[in-house]
Amino acid sequence: MNYKIENIKQITVTKPLKLDCGQTIKNFPIAYETYGKLNEKKNNAILIFHALTGDQFVAETNPVTNKDGWWNTAVGPGKAVDTEKYFIICANVLGGCMGSFGPKNINIKDGEPYGLKFPVITIRDMIKAQESLLEHFGVQKLLSVLGGSMGGMQLLQFCALYPDKTFSAVPIASTASHNAQQIALNELARQAIMSDPLWNKGNYYKDKKIPKNGLAVARMAAHITYMSDKGLQERFGRKLQEKKDYEFTFDADFQIESYLRHQGNVFVDRFDANSYLYISRAMDYFDLSKQFKNGLVGAFQKHKTRFLIISFSSDWLYPTKNSKDIVIALNASGANVAFAEIKTDKGHDSFLVNEPEFLETLKGFLDSNFEIFKNEK
Amino acid sequence: MKNEFKIIINLLPAQSRVLDVGCGDGTLIEALINQKDIDARGIELEENKVKQCISKGLSVIQGNAETELGQFPDKAFDFVILSQTLQAFYQPENVLNELLRIGKKVIISIPNFGYWQVRTSLLFFGKMPITKSLPDSWYNTPNLHVCSIKDFYQFCDKKKIKMDRIIGINNEKISSINRVNLEMKNLLSEVGIFLIS
């Protein structure tokens, strides 16, 4: 995958960052994008964290892929996250492949791409790496932080590390600790990538023969987990792909097969296989409760941040139980918390698609909190 | 706003910490925040009502009070409010114990089954009563454990729950209830509000 670097905004983080693995990095790039305008009082800024395979291009048209931004349903003029009202910042995560420091960057020591020499990173490292962005824009306190899935994990980590830097926070379809099933599914994806001979121990950048097949299978497996049983059945059922009867081959007879293959194929054009390994690993290492003496309750002690936790009834990847655990910890620590479970058949992907109940709830929360935040200052 | 809410607002000191259990669309919470600068939270079962609360900027969690009050620490709130819902729980006694655990004080209101209109409905017509505070028919009412003011009074007595104040509401009229006037007020009050601890 190649992209036009001129379309990507970057800052260079000069401050040395000691990673959880022990290594220290400095002078590394973090790519970002913004939407809307920062107002004079600088109290309308919202930081969005992207999920595993997302990037900084939240809204409008992604200038690299020429497709819609990944959260176009929620972010834009007049939308739930209204860019006419709010200033949106989103960074590509550390370890990513859309301009931030990641495994395909060139290692100045040997002039080669890092590959597996890139240090193993964590969600906490990602957050520390992004922090400079707030300084860059002169924002002392954000109106809100938003994030779904891995974005929600980053958000919780952000709130735990910098409790005074945001007025409100909305983790969506997320968790405070990756569980066995979530790790297992990530491991499945990693094994698919690593068992592709072209992966070549992460060393595939030079001759541009990327491990397409492995990465595509990883994406197909993941994609199934983003949808619900009922959602899949309603959309695809046993429908055949442009044919009247079975062909008695292993080609894509069923529409669902064809759909998954398509999802796999388009993904490999925009995503780096090593980034997938590194970022999914960071998710697996995520366990916020481990960072505090009192467990998860300790993470939010004496917090003034106003939380809205959202889950989706048919999400089996990050089920409501995960969100409720966050709510319980927040309540136990006396934090300010609202919680809603949205009834939907759209599975984990509900936060990315047009789900009116969800979008209305998000909009109501942001707009009312903006009023409270403005009056507080 | 209904009379009952006005009475509850008057009972609460400014800037206290309050949990409204079964908070509906958040009318009471909003009034508590705006009128008395109270740190008010809520828990509500219905998704649609939770959404309305969140859109008003209220800290309301979607959940079932019957099973989910355990997440709050002991004495987490100065006051816990339960407005005309106790009778709808499967195990009202357990819920009441939980309310008394998480709140220093509890305000409970009950639709009074001892109200004269309720009594006459059964006595003269032989039919389950339908009144302003008990508006549903027998087959679709959410109420499983209706009781009278006198029932709840005796219950508190038996369980050694301290009754700090009892207030009866009859239309616009509000009156204080005590041991002496209990029989009369049990007949004349449509709703009873108990401040207990």
Side-chain angles (χ1 to χ4, degrees):
Chain A
M1 48 149 288
N2 287 302
Y3 52 73
K4 288 182 188 148
I5 195 84
E6 63 261 33
N7 290 332
I8 290 178
K9 298 171 186 141
Q10 287 171 319
I11 56 164
T12 302
V13 181
T14 49
K15 214 166 46 176
L17 167 57
K18 190 168 189 253
L19 302 170
D20 280 334
C21 70
Q23 288 189 46
T24 299
I25 55 173
K26 60 182 176 187
N27 296 321
F28 57 89
I30 287 292
Y32 69 91
E33 189 52 80
T34 66
Y35 304 89
K37 271 192 187 147
L38 187 61
N39 64 13
E40 240 167 68
K41 288 183 173 167
K42 299 195 172 189
N43 63 6
N44 69 333
I46 296 174
L47 181 60
I48 294 178
F49 300 103
H50 70 71
L52 168 60
T53 63
D55 52 41
Q56 64 273 38
F57 300 113
V58 176
E60 297 170 7
T61 303
N62 182 323
V64 175
T65 62
N66 285 321
K67 289 187 176 150
D68 279 353
W70 59 268
W71 217 9
N72 216 13
T73 47
V75 185
K79 294 182 184 173
V81 187
D82 190 349
T83 49
E84 280 169 353
K85 215 168 157 183
Y86 306 122
F87 177 62
I88 315 299
I89 311 165
C90 183
N92 185 213
V93 294
L94 180 67
C97 50
M98 202 54 95
S100 284
F101 190 40
K104 75 181 171 71
N105 282 49
I106 304 293
N107 185 350
I108 27 171
K109 272 184 198 156
D110 54 14
E112 303 275 330
Y114 277 91
L116 287 201
K117 284 183 188 153
F118 193 79
V120 171
I121 47 160
T122 64
I123 298 287
R124 181 157 58 183
D125 296 334
M126 289 176 182
I127 291 307
K128 287 179 180 169
Q130 287 179 47
E131 197 225 341
S132 310
L133 266 181
L134 298 191
E135 236 169 80
H136 180 75
F137 291 108
V139 175
Q140 293 209 325
K141 193 171 195 175
L142 294 155
L143 164 63
S144 200
V145 284
L146 313 176
S149 200
M150 186 187 83
M153 299 177 212
Q154 292 180 73
L155 176 155
L156 293 171
Q157 181 68 71
F158 178 91
C159 292
L161 275 179
Y162 313 116
D164 302 323
K165 287 200 175 171
T166 186
F167 180 72
S168 65
V170 191
I172 304 154
S174 191
T175 183
S177 168
H178 235 219
N179 67 21
Q181 180 177 269
Q182 290 150 357
I183 295 170
L185 289 163
N186 272 352
E187 171 62 1
L188 176 68
R190 284 191 294 268
Q191 287 301 332
I193 292 168
M194 293 190 288
S195 59
D196 186 329
L198 291 181
W199 177 64
N200 190 27
K201 296 207 161 88
N203 194 3
Y204 53 81
Y205 297 105
K206 233 182 179 171
D207 32 9
K208 291 193 174 157
K209 281 186 188 152
I210 62 169
K212 273 186 181 177
N213 294 339
L215 185 58
V217 172
R219 178 62 168 178
M220 288 167 78
H223 211 87
I224 300 166
T225 68
Y226 302 154
M227 296 180 287
S228 76
D229 173 25
K230 195 171 173 204
L232 273 178
Q233 192 58 27
E234 271 173 11
R235 185 160 163 197
F236 301 103
R238 293 188 53 82
K239 277 184 258 178
L240 298 178
Q241 180 66 20
E242 291 164 5
K243 53 190 78 171
K244 284 197 174 117
D245 206 349
Y246 306 151
E247 282 186 348
F248 299 98
T249 68
F250 293 105
D251 285 340
D253 271 5
F254 294 101
Q255 273 188 15
I256 178 62
E257 293 174 301
S258 166
Y259 172 78
L260 284 179
R261 289 179 190 196
H262 172 73
Q263 291 296 332
N265 287 336
V266 295
F267 183 61
V268 297
D269 290 333
R270 70 171 178 92
F271 212 81
D272 177 43
N274 283 335
S275 274
Y276 201 106
L277 300 182
Y278 277 92
I279 299 172
S280 67
R281 198 70 187 132
M283 295 166 82
D284 292 346
Y285 282 142
F286 186 61
D287 180 6
L288 194 58
S289 64
K290 233 184 106 188
Q291 297 174 20
F292 297 88
K293 257 191 208 155
N294 270 354
L296 202 51
V297 177
F300 306 113
Q301 213 89 57
K302 290 181 183 140
H303 271 217
K304 293 213 171 113
T305 310
R306 299 164 61 90
F307 283 89
L308 167 62
I309 320 292
I310 297 179
S311 71
F312 300 103
S313 58
S314 56
D315 182 353
W316 57 274
L317 184 58
Y318 295 96
T320 292
K321 164 85 172 61
N322 289 167
S323 287
K324 274 209 171 163
D325 285 343
I326 303 169
V327 175
I328 289 169
L330 284 165
N331 271 326
S333 55
N336 214 317
V337 51
F339 163 68
E341 182 193 51
I342 310 290
K343 277 198 194 70
T344 168
D345 293 333
K346 291 171 186 152
H348 182 58
D349 262 352
S350 295
F351 75 100
L352 296 172
V353 298
N354 186 16
E355 180 55 66
E357 286 292 308
F358 159 64
L359 294 171
E360 283 164 24
T361 306
L362 180 63
K363 183 175 182 58
F365 178 83
L366 284 178
D367 290 349
S368 58
N369 273 277
F370 187 41
E371 291 307 312
I372 305 170
F373 188 40
K374 277 195 296 194
N375 294 332
E376 198 181 58
K377 285 206 142 180
Chain B
M1 190 186 309
K2 52 181 183 173
N3 228 348
E4 181 194 335
F5 284 176
K6 289 181 193 158
I7 296 168
I8 292 175
I9 294 169
N10 279 331
L11 283 174
L12 295 169
Q15 282 155 1
S16 45
R17 272 178 66 82
V18 171
L19 177 70
D20 185 0
V21 178
C23 62
D25 66 1
T27 304
L28 179 59
I29 298 183
E30 216 180 5
L32 292 175
I33 294 170
N34 293 337
Q35 294 179 25
K36 289 202 145 174
D37 192 22
I38 283 173
D39 180 359
R41 318 283 178 86
I43 176 167
E44 168 61 41
L45 192 58
E46 275 182 53
E47 180 187 332
N48 197 32
K49 288 179 180 165
V50 173
K51 198 176 96 183
Q52 288 177 40
C53 291
I54 290 171
S55 294
K56 294 178 190 167
L58 308 177
S59 294
V60 170
I61 62 169
Q62 190 181 341
N64 184 347
E66 184 110 40
T67 50
E68 295 180 35
L69 293 178
Q71 64 187 290
F72 297 103
D74 292 358
K75 307 295 171 219
F77 300 95
D78 298 318
F79 293 87
V80 178
I81 301 166
L82 184 67
S83 170
Q84 304 202 29
T85 327
L86 186 69
Q87 72 283 352
F89 292 116
Y90 289 105
Q91 306 272 358
E93 192 178 347
N94 292 352
V95 174
L96 190 61
N97 288 336
E98 275 295 90
L99 298 178
L100 288 163
R101 180 185 67 78
I102 64 176
K104 291 173 191 158
K105 286 179 189 288
V106 175
I107 296 173
I108 284 192
S109 69
I110 53 167
N112 180 22
F113 218 73
Y115 186 50
W116 67 269
Q117 281 186 7
V118 175
R119 298 194 201 188
T120 50
S121 176
L122 259 176
L123 185 64
F124 292 123
F125 305 105
K127 279 166 73 83
M128 284 302 279
I130 293 178
T131 66
K132 210 163 52 180
S133 55
L134 293 162
D136 303 302
S137 297
W138 65 270
Y139 50 85
N140 62 7
T141 176
N143 299 333
L144 306 172
H145 299 273
V146 279
C147 68
S148 68
I149 288 176
K150 189 176 168 185
D151 283 326
F152 193 72
Y153 185 97
Q154 288 177 347
F155 170 83
C156 289
D157 240 3
K158 193 175 145 199
K159 299 285 171 188
K160 302 209 161 51
I161 296 167
K162 198 169 154 248
M163 289 172 274
D164 298 322
R165 276 198 75 180
I166 311 165
I167 295 162
I169 306 177
N170 183 9
N171 289 318
E172 292 304 302
K173 270 186 265 163
I174 294 162
S175 54
S176 214
I177 302 177
N178 52 47
R179 193 172 295 273
V180 180
N181 68 11
L182 179 61
E183 288 294 344
M184 190 53 97
K185 294 298 175 190
N186 190 35
L187 186 66
L188 296 178
S189 306
E190 195 161 10
V191 174
I193 302 175
F194 288 71
L195 173 64
I196 58 176
S197 53

